[in-house]
């Protein structure tokens, strides 16, 4: 799973959900400086940082031209971003995540037997380090040619060693009850939890996802299959 790191490089010090899950491929945005030469690339100012769970890689995410959706919120709020009648220019880690999704599709076309863990390992091993702290660029800017020039790591070498989160329903229901009674900070489905600001509010479907900032496990087995 590939997820956008978020567009909140404003001191929050964390990635958006679901990119904060360490088993996923979290993608930050690089700034191409409007040149085709990648040597001057850096991390985009808006791209979220996290010193504990940094983005895994970064990819171009500034001034990307893509299909326009006439009448959409972005289209109406930012008419200057239109490129002719068909296209729209936007920036954001969601743009960068789409770039990485395309690279992974090409990797799987070349090596159909790759597991998710192996894909992630190759992406990171083939990345080019940028002049930025690891909290901003992780392993660096993705490079498909470098990644495919590497040998596929073994399942053991590619395995991710994070401890999977375990859902304790008893604890969850207790916390939700306390929240509903006003006896605890918001958790679970509250204002700042799963369906609040971090998931379906400003960070996921609000301005950071579809507004100004946009135009601005191991899934079952040890090998990640």
């Amino acid at each position: 799973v590939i997820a956008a790191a978020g567009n909140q490089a404003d001191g929050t010090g964390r990635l958006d959900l679901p990119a904060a899950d360490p088993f996923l491929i979290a993608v930050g945005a690089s700034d191409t400086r409007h040149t085709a030469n990648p040597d001057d690339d850096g991390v985009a100012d808006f791209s979220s940082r996290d010193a504990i769970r940094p983005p895994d890689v970064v990819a171009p995410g500034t001034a990307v031209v893509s299909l326009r959706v006439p009448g959409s919120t972005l289209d109406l709020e930012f008419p200057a971003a239109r490129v002719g009648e068909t296209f729209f220019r936007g920036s954001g880690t969601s743009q960068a995540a789409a770039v990485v999704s395309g690279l992974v599709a090409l990797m799987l076309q070349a090596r159909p037997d790759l597991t998710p863990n192996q894909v992630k390992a190759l992406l990171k091993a083939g990345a080019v380090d940028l002049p930025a702290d690891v909290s901003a660029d992780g392993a660096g800017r993705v490079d498909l040619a470098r990644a495919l020039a590497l040998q596929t790591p073994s399942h053991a070498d590619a395995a991710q060693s994070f401890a999977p989160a375990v859902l304790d329903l008893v604890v969850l229901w207790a916390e939700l009850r306390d929240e509903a009674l006003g006896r605890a900070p918001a958790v679970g489905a509250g204002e700042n939890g799963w369906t609040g600001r971090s998931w379906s509010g400003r960070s996921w479907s609000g301005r950071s996802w579809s507004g100004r900032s946009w135009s601005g496990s191991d899934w079952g087995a040890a090998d990640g299959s």
Side-chain angles (χ1 to χ4, degrees):
V1 175
I2 296 166
N7 307 318
Q8 301 187 70
D10 55 2
T12 57
R14 62 188 180 189
L15 304 188
D16 281 355
L17 291 172
D21 184 330
F23 286 103
L24 275 59
I25 298 174
V27 181
S30 64
D31 186 347
T32 63
R33 318 292 188 194
H34 304 286
T35 68
N37 187 340
D39 291 344
D40 63 354
D41 286 4
V43 178
D45 291 341
F46 57 79
S47 188
S48 291
R49 275 80 163 160
D50 191 332
I52 297 175
R53 195 283 188 254
D56 293 300
V57 291
V58 295
T62 55
V64 177
V65 176
S66 186
L67 291 174
R68 175 189 169 207
V69 182
S72 65
T73 299
L74 285 174
D75 187 56
L76 297 177
E77 288 190 358
F78 305 100
R82 298 172 188 167
V83 181
E85 295 296 318
T86 305
F87 300 102
F88 193 90
R89 188 184 305 276
S91 298
T93 56
S94 55
Q95 308 281 60
V99 171
V100 175
S101 295
L103 293 186
V104 170
L106 292 173
M107 291 174 66
L108 292 173
Q109 183 181 49
R111 303 183 192 180
D113 294 331
L114 289 176
T115 68
N117 282 348
Q118 289 172 326
V119 166
K120 184 174 181 178
L122 284 171
L123 274 177
K124 295 179 67 174
V128 178
D129 191 30
L130 295 181
D133 189 82
V134 67
S135 65
D137 75 338
R141 175 181 49 78
V142 289
D143 188 310
L144 179 63
R146 282 168 54 103
L148 288 179
L150 299 172
Q151 288 188 335
T152 300
S154 68
H155 295 313
D157 288 341
Q160 302 187 71
S161 59
F162 309 108
V166 177
L167 177 61
D168 189 325
L169 292 176
V170 174
V171 173
L172 176 62
W173 281 113
E175 291 179 342
L176 290 173
R177 182 178 62 251
D178 288 344
E179 178 190 0
L181 295 174
R183 300 193 304 232
V187 296
E191 169 62 15
N192 295 305
W194 186 257
T195 60
R197 298 174 69 85
S198 295
W199 179 261
S200 62
R202 297 178 68 86
S203 296
W204 179 261
S205 59
R207 302 197 69 80
S208 292
W209 175 262
S210 59
R212 293 182 180 276
S213 295
W214 185 88
S215 72
S217 173
D218 183 337
W219 292 106
D223 65 354
S225 59

